[in-house]
Amino acid sequence: MNALPASLQSHRVQSRAEVAASIRGVSDGRVVWEPVRSLWFSTMAVAAVVGGLAMFSWAAFALFVVSTATVLLLGHSLGMHRKLIHDSFACPKWMEYLLVYCGVQVGLAGPIGLVRTHDLRDYAQRLPDCHDYLAHRRRFHIDAWWQLHCELRLTRPPRIEIEARIADDRFYRFLQRTWMLQHLPWALAFYAIGGWGWVFWGVCARVTAGVFGHWLVGYFAHNHGGMHHEVRGAAVQGRNVRFVSLLTMGECWHNNHHAFPGSARLGLYAGEWDPGWWFLRGCERLGLVRDLRLPEDLPPREELHRLDPAPDPSPVALPAASPMSARAKPVCLINRA
């Protein structure tokens, strides 16, 4: 490839004229220990394990299950990822704020920081090469240390232009400044209701599961799993991690997401359960969301190729104009219900 793919020309990460210059920008750097990030996760993990075991109750465990499922579905999958980052559906501003606030409760980062982190990784993975940190390319234990306790400091980091609707939004800027403190009101409320057991399970264990689970699924989703599509010339291919579809609210269909990043639906084929999509369809019927984007609504990408054998389609329209490799099978057009 002598030029950047057309799909990267409007990316938040500012493309350079030559691929070589872009590759150097996301390849040259060093991984260093990041104390705030490391201590945040370590403190939550130790409190979850030690405090959670010492103060275990079934009520506290039920709180953990319900609260974790809620923030992963409404916050991470819908609010942060499908809405804030990819803008794959439209909804009232109050609902967007609520979803993003739930996303902050996962404990990964503030909304603006998460957009920057996601987009740098996404951009880097779509180039011919990138740093091992961005590709999840190192061994399991090394990648765990890097992603949970460190940060990548690029020698010449690219410029990331976040649109004003996010970067200048007062609520998002407030959440960005206070995202760790946003867990405190819930900790106080849980303590008032159920004591320290509810705090350990309702806050510490939830944050630990969200942060650790995000890394763990990300590691496997870039190294192990099935593929329906290939992004030609990309340093990293997404993988579908089938056995965690319900736990991740559909975010495990990462090969589908690499192929169609702007799609509100991630589970595109038969048997690919996608709770995030189910929730959006329910909200659409209630009139709360609209303009759900699907693969057929996205611009064609010449670097995207369907792999053989083609999986059985689910009731969702895939773009007939998608380029196909010599081994690819035709793409069917079917309804979206």
Side-chain angles (χ1 to χ4, degrees), residues 132-173:
D132 287 351
Y133 177 95
L134 298 170
H136 293 278
R137 197 177 286 138
R138 291 296 184 94
R139 290 185 176 183
F140 185 85
H141 65 285
I142 296 176
D143 194 65
W145 169 253
W146 278 8
Q147 306 296 335
L148 297 174
H149 298 278
C150 302
E151 67 177 7
L152 174 63
R153 295 182 182 173
L154 294 170
T155 304
R156 292 186 299 171
R159 189 160 49 100
I160 303 176
E161 293 288 344
I162 300 178
E163 57 270 34
R165 77 172 185 88
I166 298 174
D168 296 338
D169 187 285
R170 291 184 179 181
F171 182 63
Y172 292 151
R173 292 168 71 89

Side-chain angles (χ1 to χ4, degrees), residues 25-48:
V26 297
S27 298
D28 297 337
R30 59 193 181 96
V31 179
V32 299
W33 180 60
E34 206 292 294
V36 174
R37 181 178 190 177
S38 180
L39 292 174
W40 167 254
F41 174 72
S42 299
T43 300
M44 288 293 178
V46 170

Side-chain angles (χ1 to χ4, degrees), residues 40-57 61 64 196-197 199-209 212:
W40 167 254
F41 174 72
S42 299
T43 300
M44 288 293 178
V46 170
V49 174
V50 177
L53 291 176
M55 301 285 184
F56 178 83
S57 70
F61 182 75
F64 162 72
W196 282 108
V199 176
F200 290 135
W201 282 97
V203 177
C204 301
R206 168 173 54 76
V207 170
T208 302
F212 184 81

Side-chain angles (χ1 to χ4, degrees), residues 43-297:
T43 300
M44 288 293 178
V46 170
V49 174
V50 177
L53 291 176
M55 301 285 184
F56 178 83
S57 70
W58 287 112
F61 182 75
L63 174 66
F64 162 72
V65 172
V66 172
S67 63
T68 301
T70 300
V71 300
L72 289 179
L73 173 61
L74 301 182
H76 181 68
S77 183
L78 299 184
M80 291 292 200
H81 195 204
R82 304 192 206 199
K83 177 55 185 173
L84 195 66
I85 292 172
H86 293 290
D87 201 23
S88 63
F89 64 92
C91 66
K93 200 65 176 180
W94 67 263
M95 184 175 182
E96 178 181 328
Y97 284 163
L98 176 62
L99 294 175
V100 171
Y101 172 78
C102 288
V104 169
Q105 294 301 314
V106 176
L108 285 167
I112 298 174
L114 197 63
V115 171
R116 293 180 62 86
T117 299
H118 174 281
D119 275 45
L120 176 62
R121 190 181 298 272
D122 175 75
Y123 179 81
Q125 291 180 353
R126 289 160 69 175
L127 292 174
D129 193 18
C130 66
H131 196 282
D132 287 351
Y133 177 95
L134 298 170
H136 293 278
R137 197 177 286 138
R138 291 296 184 94
R139 290 185 176 183
F140 185 85
H141 65 285
I142 296 176
D143 194 65
W145 169 253
W146 278 8
Q147 306 296 335
L148 297 174
H149 298 278
C150 302
E151 67 177 7
L152 174 63
R153 295 182 182 173
L154 294 170
T155 304
R156 292 186 299 171
R159 189 160 49 100
I160 303 176
E161 293 288 344
I162 300 178
E163 57 270 34
R165 77 172 185 88
I166 298 174
D168 296 338
D169 187 285
R170 291 184 179 181
F171 182 63
Y172 292 151
R173 292 168 71 89
F174 169 72
L175 290 181
Q176 182 61 38
R177 292 192 304 269
T178 64
W179 68 271
M180 288 186 182
L181 294 176
Q182 293 302 321
H183 300 270
L184 183 58
W186 291 101
L188 295 174
F190 292 156
Y191 179 79
I193 297 171
W196 282 108
W198 276 41
V199 176
F200 290 135
W201 282 97
V203 177
C204 301
R206 168 173 54 76
V207 170
T208 302
V211 175
F212 184 81
H214 181 265
W215 162 73
L216 186 64
V217 173
Y219 176 83
F220 280 98
H222 292 97
N223 290 282
H224 308 283
M227 294 174 58
H228 300 323
H229 304 271
E230 178 187 9
V231 182
R232 296 279 178 86
V236 183
Q237 300 295 328
R239 306 280 180 160
N240 289 330
V241 189
R242 178 171 296 275
F243 64 92
V244 290
S245 58
L246 294 180
L247 290 176
T248 63
M249 306 302 167
E251 294 292 320
C252 67
W253 307 116
H254 208 57
N255 179 255
N256 299 349
H257 180 61
H258 272 226
F260 307 106
S263 174
R265 183 175 186 176
L266 304 182
L268 299 177
Y269 300 98
E272 294 183 348
W273 294 354
D274 185 354
W277 172 251
W278 303 340
F279 187 87
L280 286 176
R281 288 288 282 144
C283 288
E284 184 183 43
R285 291 188 175 96
L286 294 174
L288 291 174
V289 305
R290 64 186 189 281
D291 300 334
L292 298 174
R293 288 200 295 168
L294 291 170
E296 65 177 349
D297 304 314

